Amino acid sequence: MWGIIATWRMAVEGVQKAADMLKEGGDAGDAIEAAVREVEDFPYYKSVGYGGLPNEEMEVELDAAFMDGDTLDIGAVAAIRDFANPVSIARRLAKEKVNNLLVGEGAEKFAHKEGFERKNMLTDRAKIHYRNRVKEITQQEIRPYSGHDTVGMVCLDTKGKMTSATSTSGLFMKKKGRVGDSPVSGSGFYVDSKVGGASATGLGEDVMKGCVSYEIVRLMREGLHPQEACQRAVSQFDKELRERRGKAGDMSLIAMNNKGEWGVATNIEGFSFAVATENLKPVVYLTRIVDGKCVHEPATQEWLDEYMRTRTAPLVEK
Ligand code: GLY
């Protein structure tokens, strides 16, 4: 069995690419890296890689992680600027014995020495978003960009190896140096090939309060199906946050176990995700919350067309 699952519609082209590799016996590390790079390279996605939205100083600072579920190797970068594919730098760091999570200038020096591609990640389109937001910001609370956030994935190859990876530009207009859940093990991602993996998208500050990805893997280890594990972890933690703090940030989790079974749970309306397995061609699902439970339905062609139309529509400066 092989499979890959990823947050948001934006991941489906990457999921397709990974599926093509996995069905030919490709490695879960190579497949997930290729899938995340596909999202990082697409200029119209505003929250990952090239075209990602900048911090309050108009710099694009990116976070990414990679985990190998066989060895439990982890590599991650945070607040890295001017490199095309943070996920590949994270994967390279996973091979090191120490220094696995590098931030800012240290991450950039490492990436430069290792010969990773430099790129100015701030697009003209992102600059327009920035200038528009500066005009609005006095009236608005800072939030994850609605409808878009981290790409997080879990992958299983035919040899039973599992991986997880994330990549994000984090909160639009964040403080310089702010780091969310995506490069943080157990929060933005976790995977163990003996069990399965999970990955998160949403408000990093809240996801980190519950180490929600690790919690889902823990529940799967106890025998829960990925759907039950996601549902329980997200519902319980959302409730906990509301009771203790009066509100809970956006939180959407995807998971897959080592049999290729998968699950998704969210506390928001309109969450989309992409999945492919040996038995399921790459498909985008939308999740609705019905009586407190997450229900997944394939996205219609109309929804998919509208999605791409709005992402690539000309942007007007306000
Ligand atoms: N989930 C992405 C972030 O909060 O940075």
Side-chain angles (χ1 to χ4, degrees), residues 54-56 61 142 169-176 178:
N55 63 17
E56 65 177 15
E61 289 188 327
I142 195 161
S169 52
L171 284 185
F172 184 22
M173 290 289 184
K174 63 190 178 184
K175 289 263 177 253
K176 183 174 173 60
R178 177 266 185 193

Side-chain angles (χ1 to χ4, degrees), residues 149-150 168 170-171 178 180-182 201-205:
D149 182 30
T150 306
T168 188
L171 284 185
R178 177 266 185 193
D181 59 307
S182 306
T201 173
L203 184 64
E205 282 73 1

Side-chain angles (χ1 to χ4, degrees), residues 52-307:
L53 292 176
N55 63 17
E56 65 177 15
E57 298 184 16
M58 210 163 108
E59 295 170 325
V60 180
E61 289 188 327
L62 301 169
D63 302 337
F66 174 89
M67 183 166 185
D68 179 319
D70 278 0
T71 58
L72 306 183
D73 285 336
I74 288 172
V77 289
I80 189 170
R81 293 170 309 165
D82 299 331
F83 281 90
N85 294 111
V87 72
S88 298
I89 305 166
R91 187 178 182 200
R92 171 69 189 79
L93 281 166
K95 296 194 174 89
E96 298 289 305
K97 284 201 173 66
V98 291
N99 302 307
N100 300 117
L101 166 53
L102 295 182
V103 305
E105 203 188 328
E108 289 155 16
K109 272 193 179 160
F110 175 84
H112 178 66
K113 281 191 193 144
E114 291 293 319
F116 285 96
E117 184 193 344
R118 276 193 178 273
K119 188 167 175 176
N120 178 358
M121 302 298 270
L122 185 66
T123 58
D124 289 342
R125 200 172 167 90
K127 286 183 199 164
I128 298 176
H129 279 294
Y130 176 87
R131 288 196 288 265
N132 287 347
R133 191 56 165 253
V134 167
K135 288 175 195 152
E136 293 165 10
I137 204 136
T138 41
Q139 309 114 39
Q140 288 190 13
E141 189 189 355
I142 195 161
R143 288 175 60 84
Y145 208 89
S146 69
H148 269 266
D149 182 30
T150 306
V151 66
M153 303 194 184
V154 177
C155 183
L156 164 70
D157 70 22
T158 49
K159 295 190 180 71
K161 172 174 167 180
M162 297 197 75
T163 52
S164 181
T166 59
S167 186
T168 188
S169 52
L171 284 185
F172 184 22
M173 290 289 184
K174 63 190 178 184
K175 289 263 177 253
K176 183 174 173 60
R178 177 266 185 193
V179 176
D181 59 307
S182 306
V184 177
S185 167
S187 290
F189 66 94
Y190 197 79
V191 65
D192 178 344
S193 305
K194 292 185 179 171
V195 182
S199 185
T201 173
L203 184 64
E205 282 73 1
D206 276 3
V207 174
M208 286 192 281
K209 293 180 178 85
C211 302
V212 190
S213 292
Y214 185 79
E215 175 63 4
I216 290 170
V217 176
R218 192 189 69 76
L219 291 168
M220 291 195 292
R221 197 189 302 277
E222 285 185 358
L224 266 65
H225 185 280
Q227 183 56 40
E228 285 174 74
C230 287
Q231 186 70 63
R232 190 183 298 179
V234 171
S235 303
Q236 284 185 351
F237 193 57
D238 177 76
K239 186 164 167 269
E240 201 74 43
L241 288 172
R242 286 179 203 281
E243 280 171 8
R244 295 193 198 199
R245 306 172 59 82
K247 61 180 179 180
D250 293 3
M251 205 171 4
S252 306
L253 276 290
I254 51 113
M256 183 171 278
N257 67 16
N258 61 6
K259 292 183 245 169
E261 297 167 333
W262 53 269
V264 172
T266 180
N267 65 354
I268 60 165
E269 291 299 336
F271 180 60
S272 60
F273 63 95
V275 59
T277 69
E278 205 170 304
N279 308 320
L280 181 68
K281 66 177 181 18
V283 56
V284 174
Y285 281 95
L286 293 171
T287 301
R288 284 187 303 126
I289 304 172
V290 182
D291 298 330
K293 294 267 182 260
C294 291
V295 182
H296 317 304
E297 285 162 3
T300 61
Q301 194 55 49
E302 195 183 0
W303 186 91
L304 292 168
D305 293 346
E306 180 62 10
Y307 174 92

